[in-house]
Amino acid sequence: MRRVISVLLILMQLLFFINYFINDSIMQLNLYLWIFTALFGAFVSYRLWSNAPHMYESEKLYMTMRISLSVVSAASIIFILMLIIARPYLL
């Protein structure tokens, strides 16, 4: 279940990046959802770092999910902060 949630959070955050670069005029509607998704992804990645994998999970796959979710969440939060500073009218 943790693996599914991690994959979905990674995909959602990547889709927000793609959505911004394709059509940045609609971002004022999606920015709040993106902030929530990025913060939730950061919380889940923190939980993944603090918990050990289950016995049936591969350690390499678990480490890959942990690192990729942490990187994507951090990149989303940094990008959102850059958007807030550069374009405050999106809020």
Side-chain angles (χ1 to χ4, degrees):
M1 188 67 173
R2 291 186 288 184
R3 195 172 12 191
V4 172
I5 291 173
S6 299
V7 169
L8 288 176
L9 282 171
I10 291 169
L11 289 176
M12 285 175 61
Q13 291 179 30
L14 291 176
L15 286 175
F16 278 121
F17 277 115
I18 293 169
N19 184 23
Y20 175 75
F21 289 116
I22 289 176
N23 190 7
D24 63 343
S25 64
I26 199 140
M27 279 311 294
Q28 62 189 4
L29 301 173
N30 292 333
L31 193 61
Y32 294 111
L33 294 173
W34 192 3
I35 291 170
F36 174 75
T37 306
L39 292 176
F40 187 68
F43 175 72
V44 169
S45 67
Y46 169 74
R47 294 286 304 232
L48 288 175
W49 281 100
S50 63
N51 293 338
H54 292 297
M55 294 179 71
Y56 59 87
E57 288 182 330
S58 169
E59 181 65 35
K60 287 182 182 180
L61 181 63
Y62 192 76
M63 181 64 88
T64 304
M65 297 300 285
R66 202 175 359 194
I67 290 172
S68 61
L69 183 59
S70 298
V71 167
V72 170
S73 295
S76 288
I77 291 171
I78 291 169
F79 194 74
I80 289 168
L81 290 176
M82 286 176 41
L83 280 177
I84 289 172
I85 292 169
R87 298 182 182 186
Y89 59 86
L90 287 177
L91 292 176

